[in-house]
Amino acid sequence: MVGSLTACGGGSKTESTAAPTEAQTAAAESKEAESKEAESAEAPTEAAASGGYELALVTDLGTIDDKSFNQGAWEGLKKYAEENGISYKYYQPQEGTTDSYLETIGLAIEGGAKLVVCPGFLFEEPIYMAQDKYPDVHFILLDGEPHDASYTYKTNDNVMPILFQEDQAGFLAGYAAVKDGYTKLGFMGGMAVPAVIRYGYGFVQGAEYAAVEDGVTGIEIIYNYTGAFAATPEAQSMAASWYQNGTQVVFGCGGAVGNSVMAAAQEKGAKVIGVDVDQSSESDTVITSAMKLLSNSVYDGVKDFYDGSFPGGKTSVFTVANSGVGLPMETSKFEKFNQEQYDAIYKKLADGEITLIQFSEDNNDPTKDLTELANTKVTFVE
């Protein structure tokens, strides 16, 4: 899935208020954490009296400091708002249901939101309904496309769905791991949704590409989907057993599943590859992260809205070609793999010199799709 940004719609800029001070930000976040209410303000109080908060983020059940989708989206929105003196606020749903998400979106709009950012595929159905219910409001939907309960897809001109080329990010992570000398790898995904599958398939292909390039044989990858995005004793136990049996580094690809992998790696003195955002601060075991540059994509979408070139009605795909995915080389803990090698492989991907195999319909097992691996053996654990 490869795409580029397209513009077909417009947004009109309304009068904005000043961005918040650090003290106001801290106070608002503290109040939200204590009360656990749906709303959490991140703008000066006078904004509400002069038209409300123009920019809004509706989180999933996580928080804006989750080191993942919520935080990445929030940082992009906040950066643009503060650079341009626009009022902004975030809202947190009470429940992880379509009705609760839609209700919270309504609260943001009642609060003055002209543009609402929603991070994660769980917002696909709520945005499908919201785009018709609030035709004068614009939406950015991260990692999903609007559809109803029957998976009938429709994207109005007031919605900018954003997808990411996860297989490219996974490829870079697998490539870097083998280049750095790791030969026994693991992929522990969460739910086998398309984004997670793409991460895994890319990871395998990146490892294979590096192995062939360097003439390294005997690369082994153990591969599993846990079926959820939660940190569980079962996921930690599985990761620990992998490490015990010789796996050197595991790509923890499933939200909080990565925390289970990190806990196991900490016990076993092993390594982890993070996902979605730079997770190096989460654990010393994280050697790098396969990232979606969430803040960049949100920042660009908000900027397009205020520039009058909102790319609604069509899905925007962020790839290596538009700096939408990558590894955080500044914080990565590689011993051999370096910036020059990273830039070279990144350019090959961006120039289309490398074609990645996608998963086939109704399949998430890489051993069934990636059948021409010469130097890499994948063991799929159901």
Side-chain angles (χ1 to χ4, degrees), residues 63-371:
T63 63
I64 58 167
D65 58 356
D66 63 355
K67 302 294 191 296
S68 190
F69 261 75
N70 290 323
Q71 182 169 336
W74 179 243
E75 288 174 352
L77 182 150
K78 180 179 178 181
K79 180 182 178 184
Y80 187 89
E82 294 188 344
E83 286 178 355
N84 295 275
I86 298 169
S87 58
Y88 62 102
K89 184 174 183 176
Y90 77 89
Y91 299 75
Q92 187 171 356
Q94 291 287 339
E95 300 176 346
T97 64
T98 295
D99 288 344
S100 182
Y101 287 150
L102 188 61
E103 179 184 0
T104 310
I105 289 170
L107 286 175
I109 293 169
E110 288 175 13
K114 307 300 182 186
L115 173 64
V116 181
V117 178
C118 299
F121 71 94
L122 293 176
F123 282 95
E124 289 177 325
E125 289 187 44
I127 292 298
Y128 181 88
M129 293 181 276
Q131 64 185 349
D132 290 328
K133 187 174 182 179
Y134 307 105
D136 296 328
V137 177
H138 288 68
F139 301 92
I140 294 176
L141 172 59
L142 288 170
D143 221 32
E145 297 173 290
H147 65 74
D148 64 12
S150 301
Y151 283 86
T152 299
Y153 286 83
K154 181 182 73 170
T155 302
N156 293 353
D157 287 347
N158 61 332
V159 178
M160 176 187 181
I162 294 176
L163 297 180
F164 297 86
Q165 201 80 40
E166 292 94 354
D167 52 343
Q168 292 180 340
F171 178 94
L172 291 169
Y175 180 88
V178 172
K179 283 287 186 178
D180 208 46
Y182 297 99
T183 58
K184 297 184 183 301
L185 317 177
F187 174 82
M188 186 174 292
M191 293 175 64
V193 296
V196 174
I197 300 171
R198 283 193 290 270
Y199 267 130
Y201 275 44
F203 184 65
V204 171
Q205 292 177 80
E208 168 73 359
Y209 195 94
V212 171
E213 196 172 69
D214 288 353
V216 177
T217 58
I219 301 297
E220 298 177 11
I221 301 177
I222 189 165
Y223 194 111
N224 171 260
Y225 304 102
T226 67
F229 292 116
T232 63
E234 292 78 13
Q236 183 174 337
S237 178
M238 179 181 289
S241 70
W242 290 5
Y243 288 130
Q244 186 67 37
N245 291 323
T247 300
Q248 299 161 304
V249 59
V250 175
F251 182 10
C253 182
V257 169
N259 297 105
S260 296
V261 177
M262 291 175 203
Q266 194 111 15
E267 289 179 359
K268 301 296 182 181
K271 303 299 180 185
V272 178
I273 293 172
V275 71
D276 288 339
V277 296
D278 182 1
Q279 294 189 312
S280 59
S281 62
E282 291 287 281
S283 171
D284 290 338
T285 64
V286 176
I287 59 169
T288 194
S289 301
M291 299 194 309
K292 300 175 183 180
L293 301 179
L294 300 163
S295 60
N296 290 359
S297 63
V298 171
Y299 182 95
D300 289 349
V302 176
K303 182 178 184 300
D304 288 339
F305 171 72
Y306 282 104
D307 286 348
S309 56
F310 187 75
K314 294 182 179 181
T315 300
S316 298
V317 182
F318 280 74
T319 73
V320 290
N322 53 13
S323 301
V325 297
L327 305 182
M329 291 301 291
E330 325 76 48
T331 59
S332 293
K333 304 180 184 74
F334 296 123
E335 295 182 3
K336 300 176 183 177
F337 187 62
N338 58 42
Q339 186 70 48
E340 183 179 353
Q341 292 173 306
Y342 176 73
D343 292 341
I345 195 65
Y346 199 95
K347 186 176 187 303
K348 282 186 178 181
L349 276 174
D351 290 346
E353 292 183 31
I354 300 171
T355 301
L356 299 182
I357 298 171
Q358 304 298 310
F359 61 92
S360 55
E361 187 175 0
D362 298 325
N363 179 60
N364 56 38
D365 179 352
T367 64
K368 294 180 180 179
D369 288 320
L370 308 178
T371 57

